[in-house]
Amino acid sequence: MRSLVAGNWKMNGLTAALGELGALKDGLAASSLACDVLVCPPATLIAQANGLVQGAFALGGQDCRAEASGAFTGDLSAEMLKDAGASYVIVGHSERRQYHGESDADVAAKARGAWRAGLKAIICLGETEAQRGAGAHHQVCAVQLEGSVPQDATAANTAIAYEPVWAIGTGKTPSSADILAMHAHIRACLVRRLGEAGQDVLILYGGSVNPNNCGDILNLPEVGGALVGGASLKAADFLAIITGIKAP
Ligand code: PEP
């Protein structure tokens, strides 16, 4: 399975930010790529972005509701994201878990909603600083995975993003040894839960990936790519990360 480098713009980006997607498209055309590329802009920009990038890279949503439609004011379904041009959706990002009280069961239902609409789900999990400090990080991620990843997940419909909460937007990252150990642990959990299908599901790393540290992180075994927040907002930075991935 090819690696995936995904950008999460979070709640950043007005129409003018589409210029960065144009620059990314131009930059990708000039590079030979060892990975797939995805940008998840705010949902308000997906349809315009789709017209602009014309398949040069994939587009995704940052969240969806589990249901396909209904009386859920302000929410978006996976079908709506797909209709706007998305082929992926992030579910269970720690900011959704923290600010919207999303449980593992909510995240699993959203992943199923994504699949129903034909979107690939990027299911996020990761421990807090206190949990790592207490030595509970492997257990915490195992429990999140068990509750958030439906049992019929496959590499075709799902990727996992391991995002230690304390590394998101902080400039801090785990050591290479810690990332290796956690990704190996997540792989073992996936195989336990999904059987053989768990061998092929991509495990992305997310948390303060930037052009300076991407080479060390993204070329580790079992790291199937990255989920990138702040450094995905500028095409030049995001391109530097994408082109930092070596062909296997
Ligand atoms: C994220 O929001 O998923 C993320 C990893 O953010 P950052 O790269 O800014 O730490």
Side-chain angles (χ1 to χ4, degrees):
M1 175 87 35
R2 247 159 89 91
S3 299
L4 172 68
V5 177
N8 171 18
W9 280 17
K10 312 192 188 198
M11 199 174 73
N12 297 295
L14 303 177
T15 310
L18 291 169
E20 294 299 326
L21 295 185
L24 180 61
K25 181 182 176 188
D26 293 345
L28 292 176
S31 321
S32 64
L33 292 184
C35 63
D36 292 331
V37 177
L38 163 69
V39 176
C40 301
T44 48
L45 293 181
I46 292 175
Q48 275 172 284
N50 191 34
L52 177 74
V53 309
Q54 307 228 320
F57 51 90
L59 295 165
Q62 300 173 13
D63 176 50
C64 65
R65 195 172 172 98
E67 293 83 356
S69 62
F72 303 110
T73 302
D75 285 346
L76 293 172
S77 69
E79 281 77 0
M80 290 167 175
L81 297 172
K82 168 107 173 160
D83 186 49
S87 47
Y88 287 78
V89 62
I90 299 168
V91 294
H93 191 282
S94 64
E95 289 153 13
R96 299 291 314 177
R97 291 177 185 262
Q98 183 181 353
Y99 302 132
H100 298 266
E102 292 183 5
S103 66
D104 291 339
D106 294 330
V107 175
K110 286 171 183 236
R112 289 194 178 285
W115 301 347
R116 181 194 59 235
L119 299 185
K120 189 161 175 171
I122 299 180
I123 302 177
C124 301
L125 47 93
E127 81 284 358
T128 64
E129 191 152 36
Q131 289 164 335
R132 180 164 280 264
H137 44 294
H138 282 184
Q139 173 64 9
V140 165
C141 290
V143 169
Q144 285 183 357
L145 189 148
E146 194 76 10
S148 308
V149 179
Q151 239 165 345
D152 40 350
T154 66
N157 62 23
T158 300
I160 304 297
Y162 166 57
E163 298 207 301
V165 178
W166 52 273
I168 295 178
T170 60
K172 296 194 243 176
T173 54
S175 67
S176 294
D178 285 346
I179 294 173
L180 264 177
M182 180 58 91
H183 279 236
H185 172 64
I186 291 172
R187 176 67 65 209
C189 293
L190 282 171
V191 170
R192 201 162 53 232
R193 181 152 180 80
L194 310 178
E196 266 308 291
Q199 292 287 8
D200 299 327
V201 172
L202 283 179
I203 308 171
L204 315 182
Y205 169 78
S208 294
V209 174
N210 62 45
N212 296 324
N213 63 20
C214 65
D216 291 340
I217 296 174
L218 299 185
N219 295 304
L220 291 170
E222 285 291 9
V223 175
L227 182 54
V228 183
S232 69
L233 293 171
K234 291 281 166 233
D237 290 344
F238 197 44
L239 265 170
I241 294 170
I242 293 162
T243 51
I245 294 216
K246 298 193 183 86

